Amino acid sequence: MRVPTANWSYPTAIRFGAGRIKELADACRTAGITHPLLVTDAGLAKLPITTRAMTLLTEAGLPAALFADVQSNPVESNVETGIAAFRSGEHDGVIAFGGGSGLDTGKVIAFMARQTRPLWDFEDIGDWWTRADADKIAPVVAAPTTAGTGSEVGRAGVITQETTHTKKVIFHPKMMPRVVICDPELTAGMPPAITAGTGMDALAHCLEAYCAPSYHPMAEGIAVEGMRLIFTNLPKAVANGNDLGARAHMMSAAAMGAAAFQKGLGAIHALSHPVGALYNTHHGTTNGVFMPYVLVFNRQAIEAKINRLTGFLGIAGGFDGFLKAVLDLRKKTGVPHDLGGLGVDGSRVETIVEMAIVDPTAGGNPVPLTKERSRKLFDAAIKGDVAAAAA
Ligand SMILES: NC(=O)c1ccc[n+]([C@@H]2O[C@H](COP(=O)([O-])OP(=O)(O)OC[C@H]3O[C@@H](n4cnc5c(N)ncnc54)[C@H](O)[C@@H]3O)[C@@H](O)[C@H]2O)c1
Ligand SMILES: [Fe+2]
């Protein structure tokens, strides 16, 4: 199939198409960046896609430096070291390059580099973002290399607070990248397990946003088409990483998930965040594990909506048909069925449920989360017993 190419200006300027990473230097100039710091994670820094991005910048006469002291599930010290590199290199903007880890860290470095208050003053609570000096936020060009988080079109970064082992969301409207390059070729080298896990993150964003009870029809519309793209294309991308058509649709779906989840998320993310912070599991894969349990748990509240969704997706059998489709998708893409498959046991259940109910995403769940209910959900995911999650 022909891999789509397009320029979009929603929710920010997006240059979409295979091979478009070659526009990186031009994108920087458009964003007003003349001396970028390219931020990525340590694993990606060694891969040819990163070397190529750096070479493209040099060839275009744009002197850039690489900062890659970023771990998966990035922590505060990654941001601090990055800020020091940004300042000492006298950079004027960031290229956020990578999966959610590289993208989030890059965005938060650009946001924080010229602020005077500490990072945690900008957690996504109430109007805390207004504490920032908006004029001092450095511009960002983002280029995703996974198709999952959609952080390239988001106004937040997720950073783990090391002292409390908690994932915190840092938010500011001006954290939205000025220019995004969505080049599906960048995702072609992703191993199947990361392809599957990141794809489940995109699905979790669309599904939880769709099910969240708040009123946001625009986000719902985006979420349903995002889910259609994922059900059709994730198995293809996992089976053949070089299927650029499937990679392109997954890249769109990831951005759509992030555009949709301003409507809300829910229990999948509320449970996945503490598990990821305590066990350093991959975020999207963890979401994929929790997904069927949370669906069953929420059934009473979402059944009518899921019935409507299945009509659009062409899935027979209403809610049960949808649940089966999710279980089949997980099986086909190799996502574990229970938490044991992620190396997570039940020994820290109390800490996890306490963290889950105060996670900022918990409030979007269609059935209010309590400690007892979260424990029930977590226990079902430990046992691998989907039916046991029923509220
Ligand atoms: N900002 C947001 O809105 C948002 C939303 C969801 C998740 N997140 C956060 O994003 C992070 C997860 O991001 P992720 O799922 O994209 O994973 P990731 O960025 O942690 O990357 C996972 C692994 O894949 C590797 N990788 C990335 N691209 C690759 C490629 N093209 N080829 C080969 N290897 C590649 C990385 O080096 C890393 O080892 C978590 O910290 C999560 O909390 C943020
Ligand atoms: Fe997520």
Side-chain angles (χ1 to χ4, degrees):
M1 73 162 278
R2 205 177 68 80
V3 181
T5 298
N7 294 333
W8 297 321
S9 56
Y10 176 78
T12 184
I14 303 176
R15 303 178 183 200
F16 191 99
R20 294 194 73 177
I21 193 64
K22 64 176 183 296
E23 297 174 34
L24 187 57
D26 183 64
C28 285
R29 292 195 178 104
T30 303
I33 303 173
T34 60
H35 185 28
L37 180 67
L38 188 144
V39 177
T40 194
D41 74 74
L44 264 172
K46 301 185 199 96
L47 298 185
I49 47 172
T50 311
T51 321
R52 167 123 198 282
M54 292 301 289
T55 309
L56 284 166
L57 293 167
T58 315
E59 283 173 4
L62 207 66
L66 177 70
F67 175 76
D69 190 2
V70 175
Q71 66 189 64
S72 265
N73 295 316
V75 294
E76 183 180 11
S77 58
N78 299 147
V79 174
E80 279 167 2
T81 327
I83 292 171
F86 185 95
R87 288 181 182 157
S88 68
E90 297 182 6
H91 294 282
D92 59 358
V94 164
I95 297 170
F97 189 86
S101 299
L103 294 170
D104 283 358
T105 313
K107 284 160 60 186
V108 174
I109 290 170
F111 168 65
M112 284 301 295
R114 299 176 192 143
Q115 302 297 324
T116 49
R117 299 177 68 136
L119 178 63
W120 308 118
D121 278 10
F122 303 111
E123 201 185 331
D124 189 11
I125 297 174
D127 66 352
W128 284 17
W129 62 272
T130 58
R131 297 166 166 178
D133 185 342
D135 294 335
K136 297 224 165 100
I137 300 171
V140 172
V141 168
T145 66
T146 65
T149 71
S151 175
E152 66 276 11
V153 294
R155 301 169 300 168
V158 183
I159 305 294
T160 300
Q161 189 177 44
E162 285 155 300
T163 47
T164 58
H165 294 285
T166 313
K167 276 191 173 239
K168 305 251 184 202
V169 178
I170 307 299
F171 170 85
H172 194 284
K174 279 188 76 179
M175 225 190 277
M176 175 70 86
R178 296 243 182 114
V179 183
V180 179
I181 297 184
C182 279
D183 180 348
E185 279 180 10
L186 296 180
T187 65
M190 248 197 300
I194 302 177
T195 302
T198 49
M200 291 310 281
D201 192 22
L203 180 58
H205 293 160
C206 291
L207 179 62
E208 294 210 285
Y210 177 70
C211 294
S214 54
Y215 180 72
H216 200 326
M218 209 186 286
E220 280 192 32
I222 293 171
V224 292
E225 174 63 0
M227 285 188 266
R228 190 186 70 79
L229 290 173
I230 294 164
F231 275 106
T232 314
N233 293 286
L234 184 57
K236 294 183 194 168
V238 171
N240 173 13
N242 290 312
D243 181 339
L244 282 185
R247 291 292 196 189
H249 290 316
M250 284 308 300
M251 198 160 236
S252 292
M256 292 164 83
F261 78 57
Q262 60 176 278
K263 177 168 180 263
L265 288 169
I268 297 176
H269 274 80
L271 282 158
S272 169
H273 282 156
V275 168
L278 293 170
Y279 291 89
N280 206 21
T281 56
H282 179 254
H283 170 71
T285 313
T286 315
N287 288 343
V289 171
F290 278 119
M291 192 174 291
Y293 304 95
V294 172
L295 267 173
V296 166
F297 173 75
N298 285 335
R299 180 170 190 150
Q300 301 304 325
I302 62 174
E303 186 150 8
K305 281 192 98 162
I306 295 290
N307 282 337
R308 208 160 69 217
L309 172 69
T310 54
F312 179 70
L313 296 178
I315 293 171
F319 183 92
D320 289 320
F322 184 73
L323 177 63
K324 183 175 177 308
V326 167
L327 290 166
D328 287 350
L329 180 68
R330 287 197 327 170
K331 208 175 206 169
K332 245 188 272 176
T333 56
V335 173
H337 182 63
D338 56 38
L339 287 167
L342 296 174
V344 174
D345 61 19
S347 62
R348 302 179 80 174
V349 57
E350 286 312 311
T351 312
I352 289 166
V353 299
E354 267 165 32
M355 289 167 84
I357 56 165
V358 295
D359 190 90
T361 60
N365 200 62
V367 176
L369 270 189
T370 60
K371 243 164 86 169
E372 291 65 38
R373 289 168 174 172
S374 306
R375 195 181 299 114
K376 186 179 177 133
L377 255 172
F378 184 86
D379 285 345
I382 284 280
K383 288 195 216 111
D385 184 351
V386 173

